[in-house]
Amino acid sequence: METNQYLINHYSSFNEDARLMSKHGSVEFLTTMRYIDKYIKPDDRVLEIGAGTGRYSHALARQGYAVDAVELVEHNIEMFRKNIQPDETITVTQGNALDLSDFSDNQYDITLLLGPLYHLYTKEDKRQALSEAIRVTKQGGVIFAAHVISDGCLLDEGFNRGNINVSEYIEKGLIDPETFASRSQPKDLFELVRKEDIDELMSVFPVSRLHYAASDGCSLFMREAVDAMDDETFELYLKYHFATCEREDLLGVTSHVIDIFQK
């Protein structure tokens, strides 16, 4: 398995914890945790694949759950270990989402795949990561898989912020000139998809979808407004987001989705 050096370089300098702790970034974290809380039960075992610096793993361990984590990037593992508190039942090992051979079948009640699919660029690799996540999950267990959505990113980073030159991306073949679907490469870091891509990806697996939800909705697009909200307004915004995050007519404009399914 070839390691994406662009990925290593990015996460060796990027502060993922800070992103998830900003008001606009916390929407993704709070939404994901809200769905995890819906399904996790006392004494459940949790595996987080691609755990980063451990934002989710530590949160769950501090609630009393036993958590095992796998992470590819050494820098993230170092930060993960620094954040471990004495009362956490938690492990972290270096590994790749494509090969979880150190973990036995049907071992975990809750499996989190909240980052690896952002950085896999072929259908074969994506299905391998999903297959491994499903394999290590118990029958009846729940898997949470996160994806980056192309239209939300194009609207925000392209047309809104200008961080992406849309015309240039079309000329380079990275955006389809008719459908505006994205075509990602490893050097682009993030694999951008649409719901139909996710549906096709999942069609081969004998699992049942429980939820398909916008994990941040419009929060990145309107990040300045969200960050400027006072606490009362932000709580109201969260209430709105939670009430609408599964509405099909809004799902296309989110930057991230969480696909939740049961084995």
Side-chain angles (χ1 to χ4, degrees):
M1 287 169 288
E2 183 179 349
T3 299
N4 180 353
Q5 191 59 45
Y6 296 103
L7 180 66
I8 303 295
N9 294 342
H10 174 74
Y11 283 108
S12 293
S13 58
F14 182 72
N15 190 336
E16 176 72 0
D17 280 359
R19 182 185 77 84
L20 291 175
M21 286 189 286
S22 65
K23 266 199 174 83
H24 73 269
S26 72
V27 175
E28 177 187 346
F29 175 77
L30 293 169
T31 303
T32 304
M33 287 297 295
R34 190 168 186 262
Y35 280 103
I36 293 171
D37 289 342
K38 181 179 177 71
Y39 290 100
I40 199 166
K41 304 179 298 297
D43 301 320
D44 273 0
R45 293 191 64 191
V46 179
L47 175 67
E48 183 173 14
I49 307 162
T53 56
R55 185 82 169 92
Y56 291 97
S57 289
H58 290 305
L60 291 167
R62 290 166 193 172
Q63 291 179 23
Y65 298 103
V67 180
D68 293 325
V70 179
E71 170 55 31
L72 176 66
V73 180
E74 182 62 39
H75 170 77
N76 285 344
I77 294 172
E78 292 172 5
M79 297 302 297
F80 188 112
R81 287 178 174 147
K82 286 180 181 178
N83 291 329
I84 293 176
Q85 295 181 356
D87 60 344
E88 293 182 24
T89 303
I90 197 166
T91 69
V92 59
T93 57
Q94 189 165 29
N96 192 309
L98 300 178
D99 180 11
L100 300 178
S101 54
D102 289 341
F103 298 88
S104 60
D105 297 358
N106 304 306
Q107 191 174 353
Y108 294 95
D109 303 280
I110 299 289
T111 300
L112 308 179
L113 191 69
L114 301 179
L117 295 173
Y118 296 177
H119 308 295
L120 297 174
Y121 307 94
T122 68
K123 185 186 299 183
E124 293 74 22
D125 280 352
K126 293 175 192 176
R127 283 184 171 161
Q128 176 64 18
L130 285 161
S131 179
E132 282 289 82
I134 294 167
R135 177 184 64 79
V136 301
T137 304
K138 295 177 182 177
Q139 196 67 37
V142 180
I143 299 103
F144 297 73
H147 301 265
V148 184
I149 298 301
S150 61
D151 294 286
C153 293
L154 182 62
L155 286 168
D156 182 32
E157 297 293 340
F159 292 112
N160 185 33
R161 300 182 187 283
N163 294 331
I164 293 172
N165 185 318
V166 179
S167 296
E168 184 178 299
Y169 269 50
I170 290 173
E171 290 174 6
K172 290 181 176 179
L174 298 175
I175 294 176
D176 187 287
E178 300 300 324
T179 67
F180 287 86
S182 296
R183 298 164 180 163
S184 304
Q185 304 173 35
K187 67 182 179 64
D188 302 316
L189 284 178
F190 295 98
E191 168 74 336
L192 308 180
V193 298
R194 287 173 165 169
K195 184 175 184 292
E196 56 263 36
D197 303 316
I198 299 170
D199 289 344
E200 199 278 330
L201 189 68
M202 295 301 300
S203 64
V204 300
F205 296 110
V207 296
S208 300
R209 178 175 280 163
L210 301 172
H211 304 275
Y212 179 89
S215 44
D216 48 17
C218 292
S219 301
L220 295 190
F221 187 83
M222 50 184 287
R223 68 188 69 179
E224 291 84 5
V226 174
D227 287 343
M229 291 175 181
D230 59 35
D231 290 345
E232 184 178 355
T233 305
F234 183 62
E235 286 301 316
L236 186 61
Y237 173 74
L238 281 177
K239 184 177 180 180
Y240 165 79
H241 170 72
F242 294 151
T244 61
C245 64
E246 292 189 46
R247 282 185 53 151
E248 291 185 6
D249 55 343
L250 295 175
L251 282 165
V253 297
T254 188
S255 294
H256 301 84
V257 297
I258 183 81
D259 193 17
I260 305 167
F261 48 93
Q262 188 169 38
K263 181 174 175 179

